[in-house]
Amino acid sequence: MHVLIVEDEVRLAAYLKRGLEAEGFAVDIAQTGTDGLWMATEQEFDAVVLDIMLPGMNGYKVCQSLREAGNWVPILVLTAKDGEYDEAEALDTGADDFLSKPFSFVVLLARLRAMLRRGQSERPPVLAVGTLQMDPASHSVTRAGTPITLTPREYSLLEYLMRHPGDVLPKLDILGHVWDWEFEGDPNIIEVYVGYLRKKIDAPFGLATLLTVRGVGYRLVPDA
Ligand code: CA
């Protein structure tokens, strides 16, 4: 098992390397985020132990860049307890597990082994409705291969629609999923965003796939 440790604290990195080697792992160390990203891209590792606060490029960015490039190597993120980032964020960027510093080597070893047993994380499937495609792993959207740039809110709205292709989605359901149930603003906000989406996913392609169902809500249908 070949593990990459991306950690700028030299003594901690050396301590982990010694410990893991004693357990039979082959270990490489990168001391900056940029080196870590480069090494994980150039070589195939069975797992990556990734610190968050790193010079060059932080661990979140490294993790995100690997996932965006389609690299699904299992990643265990090391977070500082009172750090600027939290654990939810670590998982959000596509990490498989996280461990708060300080941690004991025994715990790290157990988590690493559990992660290796599970193997490569599942790449979330690409959503498609007709020629419209969404890749939740890289947050990218295309229509017939043409990239479409969306704001985060437009993206969430489209994702909800694409997860229920052809279904009529009541406005209240959309509000609850894309905004949140506490939303107390004007529900017509949906109409505004549906308008934005049509200008991006339909109009430039001469299509009308995001339909209004009068008095009810909206539905997304495949283009012919
Ligand atoms: Ca660090």
Side-chain angles (χ1 to χ4, degrees):
M1 288 288 178
H2 196 186
V3 177
L4 174 65
I5 297 175
V6 190
E7 169 63 81
D8 59 317
E9 289 163 54
V10 178
R11 290 179 58 185
L12 176 59
Y15 166 75
L16 292 179
K17 181 175 159 77
R18 267 198 315 276
L20 289 173
E21 282 175 349
E23 295 292 329
F25 290 87
V27 181
D28 278 317
I29 296 178
Q31 289 184 3
T32 68
T34 27
D35 279 0
L37 178 59
W38 181 78
M39 285 172 77
T41 307
E42 290 297 305
Q43 288 185 56
E44 206 170 302
F45 290 93
D46 296 297
V48 176
V49 176
L50 179 63
D51 187 32
I52 287 305
M53 305 303 275
L54 289 166
M57 175 188 269
N58 73 43
Y60 289 118
K61 193 81 195 111
V62 173
C63 193
Q64 203 175 15
S65 304
L66 284 171
R67 297 316 191 216
E68 281 174 7
N71 187 327
W72 295 91
V73 61
I75 297 178
L76 173 64
V77 159
L78 305 179
T79 60
K81 229 183 181 118
D82 303 309
E84 148 182 18
Y85 302 103
D86 63 15
E87 290 156 353
E89 221 167 341
L91 296 176
D92 247 15
T93 55
D96 297 85
D97 202 358
F98 53 82
L99 197 55
S100 297
K101 285 180 173 179
F103 52 83
S104 79
F105 179 74
V106 178
V107 173
L108 174 108
L109 188 61
R111 302 285 278 274
L112 194 58
R113 286 201 165 125
M115 202 172 74
L116 286 165
R117 271 197 303 275
R118 292 196 300 270
Q120 290 228 331
S121 45
E122 286 275 315
R123 183 188 178 81
V126 172
L127 305 173
V129 179
T131 58
L132 189 63
Q133 290 206 343
M134 171 179 281
D135 185 350
S138 60
H139 266 238
S140 61
V141 176
T142 55
R143 165 78 82 192
T146 306
I148 298 173
T149 309
L150 300 178
T151 65
R153 186 72 79 186
E154 290 164 359
Y155 181 92
S156 326
L157 173 58
L158 184 61
E159 183 177 19
Y160 186 59
L161 289 160
M162 289 187 76
R163 286 191 186 281
H164 304 86
D167 293 355
V168 179
L169 300 174
K171 281 187 184 178
L172 273 180
D173 284 6
I174 298 177
L175 263 190
H177 282 93
V178 180
W179 280 263
D180 59 59
W181 294 108
E182 315 299 321
F183 180 78
E184 283 174 359
D186 184 350
N188 287 325
I189 186 83
I190 299 175
E191 222 166 288
V192 175
Y193 275 87
V194 162
Y196 294 156
L197 269 187
R198 282 178 176 143
K199 282 199 189 106
K200 293 184 174 178
I201 65 163
D202 276 348
F205 305 91
L207 296 170
T209 63
L210 177 42
L211 311 176
T212 303
V213 181
R214 239 166 242 301
V216 188
Y218 299 95
R219 62 194 283 246
L220 182 69
V221 297
D223 46 316

